[in-house]
Amino acid sequence: MSKFKVTEFENQDYGIAIAELVKDIYYSGVSTSSKLVLIRKFTELISRKILNMGVGVKMTLGEIAYPNLDKFPRTYKLLQELDETTRDDLTLIVREISELCNQYAHTQISKIASDKELAKAEALISELFSLLFVKYFIEFKIQNNHLKHLSTI
């Protein structure tokens, strides 16, 4: 991978964070605005998984939402390794989540989030999970009643 050292995504590195995010988003009494901020963070973790980007590697949602070789060469290269449809879908979904959730993650905007915005963010997270599912079956092929690994990612 050229001059950039990228550690691979390891589930155990993020297991506690993912469990806490799911608990806080779906099973706690935090406000809708806070849930949107947490969904934004969850989006970062799912995006890391899709890009296979592990702990210690800097990445922002903006690098995915607005890919730029000159500004974000590491993330851009990882995006280019995805098939075109997955890459385009990931970019679009992350852009939508960023635009929706960033307004609640920063203090310059002071408004209460709506249930409609939360439902939209949850639908977008579901789409991200769908991308993970599709990516899995791009990498693995079902053949002769067992999974055969097609990639060494």
Side-chain angles (χ1 to χ4, degrees):
M1 205 182 207
S2 76
K3 65 181 180 178
F4 297 107
K5 172 74 172 121
V6 176
T7 60
E8 290 188 359
F9 187 97
E10 298 290 339
N11 290 333
Q12 67 269 15
D13 292 338
Y14 293 103
I16 292 172
I18 291 169
E20 286 179 350
L21 285 168
V22 169
K23 179 181 153 269
D24 291 345
I25 293 167
Y26 300 105
Y27 303 104
S28 75
V30 300
S31 69
T32 303
S33 298
S34 293
K35 286 180 181 186
L36 289 170
V37 172
L38 294 169
I39 286 172
R40 185 190 181 289
K41 186 172 181 178
F42 201 20
T43 300
E44 289 183 16
L45 289 176
I46 298 167
S47 297
R48 281 182 175 278
K49 176 68 175 173
I50 291 169
L51 293 174
N52 195 26
M53 188 180 287
V55 160
V57 179
K58 182 184 179 291
M59 188 245 358
T60 66
L61 292 182
E63 294 176 33
I64 298 167
Y66 304 99
N68 184 304
L69 178 59
D70 294 329
K71 290 183 180 179
F72 316 116
R74 176 186 302 124
T75 304
Y76 187 88
K77 175 140 176 65
L78 291 172
L79 282 165
Q80 296 310 307
E81 292 175 5
L82 299 174
D83 70 275
E84 183 178 0
T85 301
T86 302
R87 178 177 60 246
D88 292 347
D89 288 346
L90 177 62
T91 299
L92 179 63
I93 293 165
V94 168
R95 186 178 304 137
E96 287 186 49
I97 289 174
S98 292
E99 290 172 1
L100 175 62
C101 297
N102 280 355
Q103 59 189 323
Y104 301 103
H106 303 294
T107 57
Q108 73 267 19
I109 297 174
S110 177
K111 71 175 194 169
I112 305 297
S114 71
D115 290 339
K116 184 177 178 179
E117 289 171 310
L118 179 59
K120 174 69 174 172
E122 289 174 334
L124 289 165
I125 282 290
S126 293
E127 289 184 35
L128 273 182
F129 278 114
S130 295
L131 287 180
L132 271 176
F133 182 76
V134 169
K135 185 176 185 281
Y136 178 84
F137 283 103
I138 287 171
E139 293 175 14
F140 294 87
K141 182 178 179 183
I142 297 178
Q143 189 174 33
N144 298 330
N145 296 328
H146 69 280
L147 292 176
K148 182 177 179 181
H149 194 263
L150 294 178
S151 172
T152 58
I153 292 180

